[in-house]
Amino acid sequence: MANSIRYVKTIPQNIRHLSTSSARNDAWLSKIFVRKIEPTKESHSRMLSDKEVIYALQTHNYRPDSKRPYLNNVKNIVGWVKTQDQLKDTVDLVGSWTVNVGDQDQALHLWKFTGGFHQIDVFNELTDVNEDYEKLRVEQGKLVRARHLQYLLAFSYWPQILLREPKNIYEIRSYALKPGTMIEWGNNWARAINFRKNNDEAFAGFFSQIGRLYNVHHIWCYENLNTRKETRESAWRSPGWDECVAYTVPLIREMHCRVMVPTEFSPTQ
């Protein structure tokens, strides 16, 4: 990615003839640099992700009086997947959470498909004809109010996903970006992520391929809410973090966060 993208620094006309010998002037000029991304023939997925792995993020709004039977239904679906030889070592549940702060009566499930969209096709063909799975799907339909599915790619600069234990809380920060800004987002966050590694808080970072487009999801892991507060405050004390935030905020159309707790059958706790 670094070889394909470069920053272009643009200085207003009336400033171009100023001397740059002074360190103070240089520091001031750096504040007005505008970052631009040159056109490229490479797709976003090739430039930002380097793995033939697709992640599926399911978002379910379950009925307020149906949380327990709903979670039992999902647990049975996870168990069914594990019994299918065609899906062995290619389809895995990474994390399963219910929302504690944010959208209430909501659950998120993150699946990993090793083998890309081909393996998703295999999964869909199998579930379309399997009677046991169809029964579970019909049962789930009676327990939820709404469902949404996104296919995602992991950012190549994000740390490798590592399952956590014992039980933690997770924060998913979801961003709807302005169309055409995904490369610039990745370019800035490739630097920004270095400021967020001190407490091993970075769990996963994705951008959407199918579903709601120009969506980014960052998932962070914390011991508790107070640890979250202290960790985020420490990032602001790191020189350079404020600059990364300043460059990425203008790229956002909408954002929201949810604090989640793992289900008892979630592989990551």
Side-chain angles (χ1 to χ4, degrees):
M1 181 174 68
N3 294 332
S4 303
I5 306 173
R6 66 186 180 89
Y7 295 124
V8 178
K9 296 180 178 179
T10 304
I11 303 176
Q13 184 68 36
N14 62 337
I15 300 177
R16 289 178 182 170
H17 301 295
L18 292 179
S19 170
T20 58
S21 59
S22 168
R24 179 178 298 177
N25 285 346
D26 285 348
W28 182 80
L29 288 173
S30 69
K31 300 298 183 181
I32 60 174
F33 286 160
V34 178
R35 298 188 178 191
K36 295 182 179 179
I37 302 299
E38 294 185 340
T40 176
K41 294 183 179 180
E42 291 285 345
S43 67
H44 290 177
S45 58
R46 286 185 178 276
M47 297 183 71
L48 296 173
S49 187
D50 58 4
K51 296 175 181 172
E52 190 59 25
V53 176
I54 305 294
Y55 291 87
L57 180 63
Q58 295 176 317
T59 303
H60 294 168
N61 295 328
Y62 52 82
R63 299 183 183 279
D65 59 351
S66 301
K67 180 178 180 179
R68 189 175 297 276
Y70 163 77
L71 291 177
N72 188 60
N73 171 268
V74 177
K75 182 179 180 179
N76 289 336
I77 290 176
V78 174
W80 177 88
V81 170
K82 292 179 179 179
T83 65
Q84 305 305 302
D85 292 337
Q86 302 97 313
L87 307 179
K88 187 177 181 181
D89 300 324
T90 60
V91 181
D92 299 287
L93 181 69
V94 176
S96 177
W97 305 272
T98 56
V99 175
N100 192 12
V101 181
D103 299 311
Q104 298 293 285
D105 306 317
Q106 187 176 85
L108 285 80
H109 313 290
L110 181 65
W111 293 85
K112 176 182 178 182
F113 289 82
T114 304
F117 284 110
H118 168 72
Q119 195 55 44
I120 292 178
D121 289 336
V122 171
F123 177 85
N124 288 337
E125 291 170 3
L126 178 61
T127 55
D128 282 344
V129 299
N130 186 278
E131 293 183 359
D132 291 334
Y133 185 86
E134 180 61 22
K135 291 178 182 178
L136 291 169
R137 181 157 46 191
V138 171
E139 178 185 62
Q140 186 177 102
K142 300 175 182 179
L143 302 172
V144 298
R145 297 178 289 111
R147 290 178 284 192
H148 182 259
L149 172 65
Q150 272 185 316
Y151 290 133
L152 313 169
L153 288 177
F155 284 114
S156 58
Y157 54 79
W158 205 270
Q160 180 182 359
I161 296 177
L162 299 176
L163 303 184
R164 311 298 177 88
E165 58 181 21
K167 196 167 185 177
N168 299 278
I169 65 169
Y170 292 77
E171 179 181 12
I172 180 168
R173 298 178 71 87
S174 301
Y175 305 86
L177 304 185
K178 298 175 182 178
T181 62
M182 187 65 72
I183 299 296
E184 189 173 358
W185 177 275
N187 220 2
N188 281 285
W189 264 97
R191 297 183 306 115
I193 193 64
N194 294 315
F195 299 106
R196 301 294 299 274
K197 292 181 177 180
N198 292 338
N199 294 323
D200 198 28
E201 64 190 293
F203 180 73
F206 305 107
F207 61 100
S208 59
Q209 284 285 285
I210 301 178
R212 297 188 182 101
L213 298 179
Y214 282 98
N215 270 198
V216 168
H217 301 287
H218 293 171
I219 303 178
W220 308 93
C221 180
Y222 305 101
E223 183 179 348
N224 51 48
L225 286 174
N226 193 58
T227 302
R228 171 189 177 275
K229 171 181 175 292
E230 294 173 350
T231 302
R232 290 179 56 81
E233 288 178 350
S234 68
W236 283 101
R237 293 192 291 269
S238 301
W241 170 251
D242 57 341
E243 179 181 303
C244 293
V245 173
Y247 279 123
T248 54
V249 167
L251 310 178
I252 301 170
R253 290 189 296 110
E254 183 182 353
M255 61 181 290
H256 72 289
C257 77
R258 288 159 287 181
V259 175
M260 312 179 297
V261 293
T263 63
E264 55 94 8
F265 55 86
S266 174
T268 189
Q269 290 289 312

